[in-house]
Amino acid sequence: MKKTILSGSTVTGDLTLGNYIGAINNWKKLQDDYDCLYFLADLHALTVFQDPKVLRERTYSFFAQYLALGLDPQKNIIFVQSQVPEHTELSWILTCLTPLGYLNRMTQFKEKSEKHVKNINAGLYTYPILMASDILLYQADMVPVGEDQRQHMELCRDIVGFFENRYGAGTFKMPEAYVGKMGARVMSLQDPEKKMSKSDENEKNFVSIIDEAKSIEKKIKSAATDSGTEVKFDLENKAGLSNLMTIYSVLSGKTTEQIESDYMGKMYGHLKVDLAELVVETLKPVREKYLDLMKNKDYLDQLMKSGADRARPRAQATVRKVYDAVGLVKS
Ligand code: ATP
Ligand code: LTN
């Protein structure tokens, strides 16, 4: 029996190099050897205000971005969260088991409520419970995510504990986070103290995987670095440069030591020029495939439907087990 992998991304902005390097690159590696489900978290996107037209369009765009990055819809179940209603059904049951104190600790909630002061809604607060439902519905063994999701993963594991304490063991599998060693936290290009985020208002802070070559070059060449010259991996004193080296390392397969020795006697500018070229070359086929896929929405619709049809029976089986365990009478 293959182990089950599940992960997703919120449908906001466009996927960035951070999402790719921290998460989707690992999804891709796992797709050959595991039973994988990758979904678009469109319900999670509603925790901040979304223009309905934009959200609808973006859902197609995200689906196409997943495919363009190399996720295979035959090998994996790729689907849209809202097309499998069991996600919200399970979420209610788990909401009734989660103490407020645990939600109060979530750093993402604190950050997002500072950013969206005019819309601090209950969904933003209970977001990690919906995320736990996504994972537990499919009995996932492993969840490949970036470093920023570690706390939500811990909460998900706690929720399994709350359920087992009240109703006994055997309903859910205990999932584990799978966080890569390199690139689990890609930093913003202009402000290397904060993470690269696809919903950042300043476009200079991130490279989107479907950016045009010119824009990628500009963003990388103008990335903030310190005033030094020596190309050396040093997260504490050279955060901006080290971030660029991390991106370089993951995309080229070279270690940071190799990069240091390649750039001995050279300046930051040399590394930026080469990195810009590497990113452009890596993302060129992705952008081409993406633009091609977006011409055929019917095809994307078909794939979405088939993904949801494959996911639904598995989700239903878990919800049935849960309803039974908690004492809800079957219809
Ligand atoms: P938003 O800005 O809308 O919150 P985001 O860029 O943080 O979006 P998510 O949809 O929250 O992206 O995350 C999708 C996946 O990408 C998650 O597994 C997350 O951990 C990972 N990820 C997000 N940002 C980074 C980053 N800067 N470095 C590494 N991994 C990241
Ligand atoms: N919260 C995640 C997106 C997400 C997710 C999930 C990731 C929603 N549900 C389930 C893994 C498993 C984020 O990256 N912001």
Side-chain angles (χ1 to χ4, degrees):
M1 273 284 277
K2 283 184 181 173
K3 291 212 165 179
T4 300
I5 307 286
L6 174 129
S7 199
S9 180
T10 316
V11 184
T12 43
D14 288 310
L15 292 169
T16 65
L17 264 186
N19 302 129
Y20 176 58
I21 291 176
I24 301 176
N25 196 24
N26 290 331
W27 304 1
K28 236 167 70 175
K29 288 184 199 151
L30 296 162
Q31 69 180 350
D32 290 320
D33 301 318
Y34 295 91
D35 162 37
C36 300
L37 299 111
Y38 298 123
F39 72 100
L40 282 67
D42 56 344
L43 296 172
H44 276 98
L46 295 175
T47 55
V48 300
F49 179 71
Q50 303 291 339
D51 179 322
K53 263 202 201 127
V54 176
L55 178 61
R56 197 167 294 123
E57 187 61 25
R58 194 171 270 150
T59 304
Y60 286 98
S61 170
F62 257 62
F63 206 91
Q65 289 177 47
Y66 275 21
L67 300 181
L69 282 172
L71 295 179
D72 181 336
Q74 310 303 332
K75 285 185 194 158
N76 309 294
I77 301 183
I78 306 180
F79 68 101
V80 178
Q81 186 185 31
S82 64
Q83 296 184 353
V84 181
E86 284 73 14
H87 288 251
T88 43
E89 289 185 78
L90 179 57
S91 190
W92 175 250
I93 309 282
L94 303 183
T95 300
C96 296
L97 286 167
T98 308
L100 294 187
Y102 280 70
L103 295 178
N104 290 339
R105 289 188 216 139
M106 298 296 123
T107 52
Q108 184 177 299
F109 171 70
K110 289 179 202 157
E111 283 162 16
K112 297 241 160 167
S113 46
E114 274 163 24
K115 202 169 149 195
H116 303 278
V117 269
K118 293 209 177 109
N119 183 18
I120 307 178
N121 61 74
L124 198 60
Y125 189 62
T126 57
Y127 175 118
I129 308 181
L130 181 58
M131 176 164 166
S133 310
D134 301 333
I135 297 165
L136 302 178
L137 259 186
Y138 300 97
Q139 310 288 346
D141 294 280
M142 272 198 304
V143 183
V145 282
E147 190 63 49
D148 60 315
Q149 294 302 316
R150 231 186 240 286
Q151 197 184 27
H152 290 164
M153 282 306 303
E154 274 314 306
L155 178 71
C156 175
R157 291 166 58 84
D158 287 336
I159 290 176
V160 174
F162 302 144
F163 191 95
E164 291 188 349
N165 276 345
R166 186 152 327 160
Y167 301 112
T171 303
F172 297 123
K173 217 178 238 172
M174 183 65 91
E176 259 177 63
Y178 172 99
V179 181
K181 280 195 191 77
M182 230 14 211
R185 193 170 165 83
V186 176
M187 308 311 280
S188 150
L189 294 177
Q190 293 299 321
D191 180 1
E193 299 301 316
K194 65 175 199 194
K195 76 156 199 161
M196 184 181 283
S197 167
K198 61 178 147 58
S199 58
D200 201 313
E201 304 90 51
N202 182 358
E203 292 198 357
K204 282 180 160 177
N205 280 334
F206 58 82
V207 169
S208 134
I209 60 142
I210 52 170
D211 268 348
E212 286 184 52
K214 274 217 174 82
S215 152
I216 297 176
E217 280 166 11
K218 242 189 177 158
K219 288 178 183 179
I220 294 200
K221 287 181 189 165
S222 66
T225 39
D226 59 279
S227 57
T229 51
E230 192 195 0
V231 174
K232 192 163 175 26
F233 190 78
D234 178 348
L235 284 171
E236 224 168 273
N237 302 307
K238 293 174 182 259
L241 176 75
S242 302
N243 187 40
L244 298 180
M245 289 175 79
T246 302
I247 299 172
Y248 197 128
S249 164
V250 175
L251 297 186
S252 67
K254 290 184 180 176
T255 63
T256 49
E257 289 82 8
Q258 272 172 303
I259 299 170
E260 282 174 0
S261 88
D262 287 353
Y263 287 89
M264 191 111 65
K266 292 188 186 166
M267 315 281 269
Y268 293 177
H270 295 112
L271 178 111
K272 284 186 177 176
V273 170
D274 293 348
L275 176 61
E277 195 184 316
L278 176 62
V279 175
V280 167
E281 284 311 307
T282 309
L283 295 180
K284 200 168 146 210
V286 175
R287 182 176 154 82
E288 281 165 8
K289 188 157 183 217
Y290 165 77
L291 293 174
D292 208 36
L293 283 162
M294 283 303 276
K295 287 185 200 142
N296 195 346
K297 296 256 177 71
D298 287 345
Y299 174 64
L300 294 175
D301 260 326
Q302 256 176 43
L303 289 181
M304 278 182 202
K305 182 175 181 321
S306 112
D309 287 347
R310 287 164 72 197
R312 213 174 290 115
R314 296 173 61 159
Q316 281 167 347
T318 301
V319 167
R320 228 171 284 134
K321 248 166 104 178
V322 171
Y323 275 23
D324 209 31
V326 308
L328 299 174
V329 176
K330 283 198 190 99
S331 70

